[in-house]
Amino acid sequence: MFDSLQDGLKGAFKSLRGKGKLTEGNMRDGLKLVENSLLEADVSIDVVRSFMSSVTEQALGEKVLLSLAPSEQLVKVVRDELVEILGPVDEELRLDKPLNIIMMCGLQGSGKTTTCGKLAKMLQRKAKIKPLLCAADLQRPAAIDQLHVLGDQLGVPVYSDKEEKDPVKVCQAAVAKAKAENISVLILDTAGRLAIDEELMEQLKTIDRQVQPDHVFLVVDGMTGQDAVKSAGAFHEALELNGVVMTKLDGDARGGALLSVKHVTGVPIRFIGTGEHLEDLEVFRPEGMASRILGMGDMLAIADQAQMLVDEEEQIKMQEALEKGQFSLEDFRNHMLKMAKPGLMQKMMGLLPGMPNMREINEMMSQGETSKQIKQMVGMIDSMTPRERKDPKLIDASRRQRIAAGSGVQAKQVTELVKQYEQMKPMLTGMAGMGAGDRAQQLQELQQQMMDPSKMGRRSPKKSTGARLSPAKKKQMKKEREKRLRQIKREKRNKKKPGGDDNVADE
């Protein structure tokens, strides 16, 4: 997302890094490039003026110009100011009532009905809540059918009444149903129009008065630029919105609407839609978005994506297997298949620091090499016997030839696959005994390995440690690793014993 804005800002910072010494003159030249990047991204002119005024004041100060790395200081100034115009945002969706009503509104084509399904999916996954969806868009009969299809996919109930012509009565009936069935969250999919008109606004105002929703969210199409900002302003004036859901940010959105909404309307962005799948809805975080725009990555978003790869039951089983050191080639195969989900690898690569923009990532991945290599890896593992998958050490030369012939690859590729697995296994099993911080760092390294198709099925290059290790030193390091693993296992056993130390913090 926001490829042109990202390219423009990177170009501005690069021009400043190339200067032997930064002065007020060349800093102003660099800031002009930053301003042009924002204008080309269709950011509101008032937002650009306010943003540049604040950034310029700080960038031309002694703290930046006289610092050891002034261009890096400027990046920090720009990032902090981006966070300022995007936030603050309450990341938590407060659902503390017996029945919490969420009203979704927006123009036709903004993705409102699909967003209702995405929000229901998020509530199921993160809050363990099964909401009730209400089809109150009586202007477009297909919207009712669409919501029922989404409900069937998600396994959540949908209330509708095709005979009723009054959307207010439909919403009131849905509220009664939710209360009768002790459902804690009701999501209302209200009507849209091709453009804002008086009839639409009066209808929404009536629903707002009669039903009194706890949250009113406006769904806007991020690709419509400043029209999305104007829509947000008009809806907010009529309904007093709690937030905006900006969709289609996986397309050619230039970023202007996202950077303008909060400043122009005072309404924060609460969620962003980043794809067509039901799981492609993210809680909006100003810090993470500012980092993404500047190409600095978003590790919290990566962790959230990683959690979506496996459900809670799978996570428990995997944790138990890791603690016993039983991460098999079958588990490795299943993780590769999950990573091969369409669009997932590109999305996660785009969230890593220092990666190219999404357009370049898609060009890299479009050649088909990634999916081809993953299919080869899965084919090789499928050609193994259950014993070989459990214990790859059984794979000798003759078995290697059989596996290669069965999967249509060369024998050396089977060897490299086993080596790749052996490299990742200690990383994963070691995570079982780590603290939260170490586990997050290890997860980052693991994700980078899994998402780098060039490393799959190929020998990984050795990394220099700065000195050659003697056999005695290698032996000592091995003993220390084994000692540490024994200590971790001992600590885990002690925690599980009755009467153990309850004050020991979980690692």
Side-chain angles (χ1 to χ4, degrees):
M1 62 180 83
F2 314 145
D3 290 347
S4 61
L5 175 59
Q6 195 177 89
D7 289 343
L9 292 174
K10 282 183 178 179
F13 299 141
K14 186 176 179 181
S15 70
L16 291 172
R17 290 191 188 103
K19 306 293 183 183
K21 180 182 178 182
L22 278 181
T23 63
E24 184 172 331
N26 51 35
M27 181 66 87
R28 286 191 183 279
D29 292 338
L31 291 171
K32 189 65 180 175
L33 294 175
V34 171
E35 182 179 16
N36 290 340
S37 299
L38 294 170
L39 292 171
E40 289 172 6
D42 196 25
V43 179
S44 164
I45 186 65
D46 290 337
V47 176
V48 174
R49 285 172 179 162
S50 175
F51 179 89
M52 291 308 303
S53 174
S54 179
V55 169
T56 301
E57 182 180 350
Q58 296 177 67
L60 298 181
E62 291 185 5
K63 185 177 179 181
V64 172
L65 286 175
L66 299 181
S67 66
L68 293 175
S71 58
E72 291 179 14
Q73 282 287 104
L74 177 61
V75 173
K76 183 181 183 304
V77 169
V78 171
R79 181 188 179 279
D80 290 347
E81 195 59 30
L82 283 173
V83 172
E84 183 69 22
I85 66 169
L86 291 170
V89 177
D90 186 356
E91 296 174 21
E92 182 182 355
L93 182 59
R94 303 187 187 283
L95 304 171
D96 48 11
K97 295 182 178 180
L99 175 60
N100 302 273
I101 303 172
I102 301 173
M103 177 177 168
M104 307 291 279
C105 54
L107 299 177
Q108 285 184 15
S110 62
K112 176 170 49 64
T113 302
T114 303
T115 300
C116 288
K118 289 180 176 181
L119 183 56
K121 173 83 171 180
M122 178 180 284
L123 290 172
Q124 283 183 299
R125 181 173 66 88
K126 289 192 171 185
K128 310 303 177 192
I129 292 173
K130 181 182 283 191
L132 171 65
L133 297 172
C134 172
D137 184 353
L138 307 184
Q139 300 293 323
R140 190 170 65 94
I144 299 175
D145 297 331
Q146 182 185 355
L147 201 63
H148 275 283
V149 170
L150 292 171
D152 290 340
Q153 291 177 6
L154 295 166
V156 302
V158 177
Y159 178 81
S160 66
D161 185 351
K162 290 188 176 181
E163 301 302 319
E164 180 60 63
K165 303 301 180 184
D166 185 352
V168 178
K169 291 182 179 179
V170 172
C171 292
Q172 289 174 329
V175 171
K177 178 180 175 66
K179 289 179 178 178
E181 298 182 7
N182 293 319
I183 293 173
S184 62
V185 176
L186 170 63
I187 301 175
L188 307 175
D189 180 23
T190 63
R193 292 285 195 283
L194 294 174
I196 296 170
D197 61 27
E198 188 175 338
E199 183 185 2
L200 169 66
M201 290 305 183
E202 282 304 316
Q203 185 183 103
L204 295 175
K205 285 179 184 178
T206 304
I207 295 174
D208 191 22
R209 283 195 306 270
Q210 298 292 331
V211 181
Q212 296 185 347
D214 302 286
H215 301 280
V216 182
F217 294 141
L218 174 69
V219 181
V220 297
D221 182 345
M223 297 179 68
T224 59
Q226 291 306 303
D227 284 342
V229 181
K230 292 176 183 176
S231 296
F235 274 91
H236 184 50
E237 187 176 339
L239 295 170
E240 193 174 343
L241 303 171
N242 294 89
V244 170
V245 183
M246 191 159 287
T247 63
K248 305 180 186 179
L249 292 182
D250 56 319
D252 296 326
R254 290 183 289 172
L258 183 131
L259 290 170
S260 305
V261 163
K262 176 68 189 300
H263 188 275
V264 173
T265 68
V267 182
I269 295 174
R270 297 295 299 272
F271 302 95
I272 55 173
T274 58
E276 298 176 358
H277 303 288
L278 287 173
E279 57 269 22
D280 292 334
L281 184 71
E282 299 178 21
V283 175
F284 181 73
R285 295 172 34 257
E287 297 83 0
M289 183 55 65
S291 293
R292 289 192 218 184
I293 290 173
L294 295 173
M296 297 162 67
D298 186 350
M299 297 312 300
L300 283 179
I302 282 188
D304 193 49
Q305 290 291 326
Q307 284 182 351
M308 284 196 287
L309 291 177
V310 288
D311 58 30
E312 188 174 4
E313 187 176 336
E314 286 178 305
Q315 287 181 33
I316 293 172
K317 288 180 180 178
M318 181 179 174
Q319 180 71 11
E320 291 173 351
L322 290 176
E323 289 178 359
K324 297 175 183 176
Q326 295 176 348
F327 183 76
S328 66
L329 268 170
E330 184 74 27
D331 298 318
F332 184 68
R333 168 193 180 276
N334 293 339
H335 275 274
M336 285 294 98
L337 282 175
K338 289 178 185 295
M339 291 300 298
K341 185 177 178 181
L344 178 62
M345 193 174 289
Q346 288 96 319
K347 182 182 289 187
M348 295 185 77
M349 286 180 70
L351 294 170
L352 287 169
M355 293 299 291
N357 63 40
M358 192 54 67
R359 182 182 62 251
E360 293 170 322
I361 290 174
N362 286 333
E363 289 173 357
M364 288 163 48
M365 307 286 279
S366 64
Q367 300 171 3
E369 287 301 313
T370 306
S371 58
K372 178 183 175 183
Q373 288 170 348
I374 290 177
K375 286 177 182 176
Q376 283 183 342
M377 292 172 65
V378 171
M380 285 184 269
I381 296 173
D382 286 344
S383 297
M384 298 176 187
T385 66
R387 286 185 62 206
E388 289 167 346
R389 294 177 201 170
K390 191 173 182 179
D391 184 9
K393 292 178 181 177
L394 294 173
I395 302 175
D396 54 18
S398 61
R399 289 174 183 258
R400 193 159 49 244
Q401 288 290 348
R402 189 202 78 241
I403 294 167
S407 54
V409 301
Q410 297 179 8
K412 65 179 182 179
Q413 289 175 271
V414 179
T415 302
E416 297 302 337
L417 168 65
V418 174
K419 286 182 179 178
Q420 180 77 19
Y421 159 74
E422 294 291 353
Q423 287 173 354
M424 293 178 67
K425 183 178 178 180
M427 289 178 66
L428 282 161
T429 53
M431 283 171 62
M434 288 182 174
D438 292 336
R439 192 183 295 120
Q441 185 176 353
Q442 194 82 322
L443 177 64
Q444 179 182 349
E445 294 178 19
L446 177 63
Q447 293 293 346
Q448 288 175 322
Q449 280 198 28
M450 293 179 76
M451 290 187 294
D452 186 351
S454 65
K455 293 181 181 178
M456 298 301 180
R458 196 180 76 202
R459 186 186 302 273
S460 296
K462 291 184 178 180
K463 295 182 180 179
S464 172
T465 60
R468 293 179 64 86
L469 299 177
S470 66
K473 183 65 175 176
K474 289 179 182 178
K475 189 175 181 180
Q476 180 187 350
M477 291 175 67
K478 183 179 179 182
K479 282 184 177 180
E480 289 175 354
R481 284 196 300 270
E482 291 173 348
K483 181 179 178 181
R484 174 59 182 154
L485 285 173
R486 286 197 300 271
Q487 182 182 354
I488 290 170
K489 290 177 181 178
R490 197 159 50 241
E491 290 173 354
K492 287 182 175 293
R493 283 197 300 269
N494 291 337
K495 287 179 187 176
K496 291 177 182 178
K497 287 180 181 179
D501 186 0
D502 292 333
N503 295 321
V504 176
D506 288 338
E507 292 200 61

